[in-house]
């Protein structure tokens, strides 16, 4: 059974850029890293679940059990671009043998049409972009009668020697194990369950939503004049009721927390004018989306490389770290989870939770 406080995905997942990536963006220091390698196999595992590549002959338990076939992709490709001669030694690294098959330099006639007018280099990556709303709907469809709207609090969850008792409107659920994947709400649930040997951290982001005048899509990291090991801007495009929006993350969003909202809006416009000068930003509208990433604690708040799963008695805490790492999270959870013991189907008329809507 899944208990969701508000609407499914309402915090990080529907604020995410939906990129399922293989880690090249973690190698922008010019070398492969633990983080870039831990995630490298994820796009292929997602493709198998999405029915985009053949899982036969694969022993992947997840691909055999998690059917996301039919879930809509926003883009089958993801790109990286930089203005001419601003990549420094990354140019040699991207051409190196160690990245063969993971990154391709495109000739001008292979560029997506949104790069028309650009003077620089464009690379294509093995990554793709999911439509997170559609993904969540596809994921819960077979289980929708077990997905309840309930915020777990000290008033409706009780720790017992046998596990946990959770009160719904019409029944009490006796659970032998509780898997907590409540993102930013996890600390509250750990407190209720008396878990003090697992710690979490939050890393804030100030993302920017742009409503441009043009109707061009962009799925790309901008590396123009890159000065850190993070893309200068990570761009995705999403349909909304009021037309196409551009959604900006990357270094723009991580450093954004040092700027006021107003400064961040001005900065985002300047960055687009500098990095994508061939497009018209004059009448574009800008909006902030502030959100925290929820992760397992790491000294100095560094980003964990992998998904996190830790068991403490009959409690299992999960942090995917990245949407892309969900298969890694599944593997680790299955290793720690006891086999199911209840066989009778569970019925309750308690309100079901629905999938949420992104801010745009
Ligand atoms: C701005 C941003 C962009 C990102 N972009 C990407 C990307 O492009 N690619 C990528 O791989 N990863 C990305 N990520 C990371 C990714 O989004 C997250 O790792 C992932 O979505 C986390 O999923 P989750 O289900 O653990 O958490 P969430 O999506 O936050 O879900 C947690 C849920 O728990 C519920 N909850 C909380 N407390 C309670 C309670 N007491 N009782 C019941 N329910 C509760 C909440 O309502 C919420 O719905 C991004 C993250 C952010 C913030």
């Amino acid at each position: 059974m899944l208990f969701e406080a508000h609407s499914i995905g309402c915090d990080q997942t529907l604020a995410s850029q939906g990129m399922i990536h293989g880690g090249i963006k973690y190698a922008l220091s010019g070398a492969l890293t633990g983080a870039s390698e831990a995630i490298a196999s994820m796009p292929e595992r997602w493709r198998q679940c999405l029915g985009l590549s053949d899982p036969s002959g694969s022993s992947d338990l997840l691909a055999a059990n998690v059917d996301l076939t039919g879930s809509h992709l926003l883009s089958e490709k993801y790109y990286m671009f930089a203005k001419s001669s601003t990549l420094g030694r990354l140019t040699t690294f991207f051409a190196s043998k160690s990245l063969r098959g993971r990154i391709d330099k495109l000739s001008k006639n292979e560029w997506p049409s949104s790069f028309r007018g650009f003077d620089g280099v464009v690379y294509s990556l093995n990554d793709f972009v999911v439509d997170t709303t559609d993904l969540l709907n596809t994921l819960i469809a077979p289980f929708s009668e077990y997905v309840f709207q309930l915020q777990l609090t000290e008033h409706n969850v009780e720790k017992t020697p046998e596990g946990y008792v959770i009160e719904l409107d019409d029944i009490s659920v006796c659970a032998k194990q509780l898997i907590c994947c409540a993102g930013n709400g996890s600390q509250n649930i750990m407190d209720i369950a008396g878990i003090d040997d697992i710690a979490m951290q939050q890393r804030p982001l100030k993302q920017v939503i742009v409503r441009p005048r043009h109707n061009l899509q962009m799925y790309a990291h901008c590396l123009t004049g890159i000065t850190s090991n993070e893309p200068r801007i990570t761009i995705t495009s999403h349909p909304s009721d009021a037309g196409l929006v551009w959604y900006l993350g990357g270094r723009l969003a991580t450093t954004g927390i040092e700027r006021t909202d107003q400064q961040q809006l001005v900065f985002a416009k300047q960055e687009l004018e500098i990095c994508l000068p061939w497009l018209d930003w004059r009448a574009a509208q800008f909006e902030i989306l502030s959100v925290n990433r929820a992760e397992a604690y790491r000294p100095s708040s560094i980003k964990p490389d992998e998904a996190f799963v830790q068991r403490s008695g009959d409690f299992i805490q999960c942090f995917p770290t990245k949407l892309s790492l969900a298969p890694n999270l599944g593997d680790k959870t299955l290793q720690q989870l006891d086999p199911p013991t209840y066989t009778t189907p569970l019925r309750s008329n308690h309100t079901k939770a629905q999938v949420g809507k992104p801010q745009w």
Side-chain angles (χ1 to χ4, degrees):
M1 302 175 76
L2 176 70
F3 306 105
E4 162 56 52
H6 308 289
S7 53
I8 295 164
C10 67
D11 190 30
Q12 296 168 86
T13 304
L14 293 173
S16 94
Q17 299 201 253
M19 230 184 327
I20 303 303
H21 66 93
I24 297 294
K25 76 165 183 165
Y26 299 147
L28 298 179
S29 58
L32 297 175
T33 59
S36 67
E37 296 323 278
I39 204 168
S41 61
M42 295 300 130
E44 176 52 24
R45 296 190 68 190
W46 273 86
R47 280 196 179 93
Q48 290 188 1
C49 294
L50 287 158
L52 300 174
S53 82
D54 183 6
S56 59
S58 138
S59 54
D60 193 333
L61 199 63
L62 229 56
N65 286 282
V66 181
D67 184 5
L68 300 175
T69 315
S71 179
H72 173 60
L73 296 191
L74 290 179
S75 178
E76 289 174 17
K77 281 273 170 201
Y78 203 80
Y79 301 91
M80 244 171 15
F81 69 96
K83 197 166 186 302
S84 295
S85 20
T86 62
L87 273 183
R89 63 198 177 93
L90 281 180
T91 310
T92 325
F93 176 56
F94 290 158
S96 67
K97 242 190 190 164
S98 58
L99 291 186
R100 196 159 292 163
R102 291 170 75 178
I103 175 165
D104 277 317
K105 187 172 172 190
L106 300 182
S107 55
K108 242 181 180 171
N109 60 3
E110 295 171 308
W111 290 3
S113 56
S114 46
F115 286 101
R116 201 165 293 140
F118 172 54
D119 171 25
V121 278
V122 180
Y123 295 90
S124 132
L125 305 176
N126 275 339
D127 309 347
F128 55 89
V129 184
V130 294
D131 177 335
T132 46
T133 313
D134 197 47
L135 174 77
L136 292 174
N137 276 311
T138 309
L139 186 65
I140 67 156
F143 317 104
S144 53
E145 62 181 302
Y146 302 118
V147 176
F148 298 98
Q149 188 177 35
L150 183 77
Q151 176 159 15
L152 299 191
T153 66
E154 62 276 24
H155 303 299
N156 53 31
V157 183
E158 190 195 345
K159 177 76 191 88
T160 64
E162 294 76 35
Y164 300 86
V165 177
I166 298 165
E167 301 295 341
L168 295 185
D169 285 348
D170 52 356
I171 57 164
S172 298
V173 180
C174 302
K176 289 189 175 157
Q177 295 167 91
L178 188 66
I179 306 174
C180 177
C181 42
N184 285 297
S186 297
Q187 189 60 57
N188 287 343
I189 297 181
M190 286 195 270
D191 292 345
I192 295 168
I195 304 298
D196 56 13
D197 55 349
I198 302 174
M200 64 174 289
Q201 65 185 24
Q202 291 170 307
R203 289 189 305 130
L205 289 171
K206 208 174 263 195
Q207 303 273 122
V208 177
I209 297 168
V210 188
R211 299 181 195 281
R213 238 170 144 189
H214 59 72
N215 203 29
L216 293 168
Q217 297 183 348
M218 179 64 77
Y219 298 96
H221 296 300
C222 170
L223 304 189
T224 294
I226 183 166
T227 54
S228 75
N229 56 6
E230 204 179 3
R232 182 166 173 169
I233 322 176
T234 291
I235 310 169
T236 45
S237 308
H238 305 260
S240 84
D241 291 344
L244 192 77
V245 300
W246 279 34
Y247 189 37
L248 312 182
R251 190 149 183 79
L252 170 84
T254 44
T255 60
I257 58 158
E258 294 152 17
R259 290 182 280 273
T260 63
D261 283 5
Q262 193 49 39
Q263 286 168 340
Q264 176 72 339
L265 295 176
V266 172
F267 183 71
K269 186 167 190 205
Q270 279 168 359
E271 284 291 271
L272 288 176
E273 283 166 350
I274 295 167
C275 296
L276 297 104
W278 66 97
L279 298 175
D280 184 0
W281 300 109
R282 279 171 302 182
Q285 292 172 350
F286 292 75
E287 195 180 307
I288 302 284
L289 192 162
S290 292
V291 57
N292 286 333
R293 286 177 284 208
E295 297 169 349
Y297 170 76
R298 285 286 171 280
S300 311
S301 290
I302 54 166
K303 186 182 75 62
D305 288 349
E306 295 187 20
F308 173 92
V309 178
Q310 188 175 321
R311 182 164 177 163
S312 176
D314 44 24
F315 185 92
I316 299 177
Q317 177 62 45
C318 296
F319 291 110
T321 310
K322 292 258 95 186
L323 187 60
S324 308
L325 284 165
N328 181 235
L329 184 90
D331 294 343
K332 291 184 171 187
T333 308
L334 286 177
Q335 281 163 13
Q336 308 224 16
L337 192 64
D338 295 337
T341 45
Y342 296 113
T343 47
T344 39
L346 206 143
R347 300 267 171 258
S348 167
N349 291 322
H350 189 99
T351 310
K352 306 291 181 297
Q354 307 297 321
V355 172
K357 288 198 167 93
Q359 182 171 315
W360 47 87

